[in-house]
């Protein structure tokens, strides 16, 4: 029984880590795409930007995207809770 619980916990931990990794990869891909679009919109070439500056732009935008997603998720949850209380679901 103890082995079953241990393997279940390991499976849950692995699943949570893979979901987190996929989420972080999605955020980074979106940040890269947006940064590249902004750079090109200004008429600059991506390969002429310092690597450190480029990574900083991606990191900053990733934080902004995560904050935006968190805000939207919180608003959605609060709206659901409000509807739940309103309709007694």
């Amino acid at each position: 029984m103890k082995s079953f619980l241990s393997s279940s916990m390991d499976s849950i931990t692995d699943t949570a880590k893979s979901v987190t990794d996929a989420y972080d990869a999605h955020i980074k891909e979106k940040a890269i795409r947006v940064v590249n679009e902004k750079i090109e919109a200004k008429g600059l070439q991506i390969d002429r930007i310092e690597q450190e500056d480029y990574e900083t732009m991606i990191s900053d935008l990733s934080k902004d995207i995560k904050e935006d997603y968190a805000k939207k998720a919180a608003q959605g949850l609060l709206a659901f809770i409000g509807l739940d209380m309103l309709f007694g679901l």
Side-chain angles (χ1 to χ4, degrees):
M1 182 69 166
K2 194 173 191 177
S3 173
F4 175 74
L5 290 175
S6 177
S7 65
S8 296
M9 288 303 294
D10 289 343
S11 176
I12 291 170
T13 302
D14 291 344
T15 301
K17 180 159 176 33
S18 66
V19 168
T20 302
D21 290 345
Y23 175 74
D24 288 340
H26 168 74
I27 297 294
K28 187 171 183 174
E29 288 173 12
K30 184 173 182 173
I32 290 170
R33 188 174 55 250
V34 171
V35 166
N36 288 347
E37 289 171 0
K38 287 181 179 181
I39 291 171
E40 290 172 358
K42 292 184 179 186
L44 301 172
Q45 295 177 355
I46 296 168
D47 59 344
R48 304 196 94 189
I49 295 177
E50 294 287 331
Q51 186 67 24
E52 187 175 313
D53 293 337
Y54 184 70
E55 290 176 8
T56 301
M57 287 187 279
I58 291 171
S59 177
D60 290 344
L61 188 56
S62 293
K63 290 177 194 172
D64 293 343
I65 292 170
K66 284 182 181 180
E67 287 176 8
D68 186 49
Y69 280 1
K71 181 180 177 183
K72 288 178 182 176
Q75 288 173 337
L77 181 60
L78 290 174
F80 176 75
I81 291 170
L83 291 176
D84 182 49
M85 288 181 197
L86 180 64
F87 295 115
L89 300 174

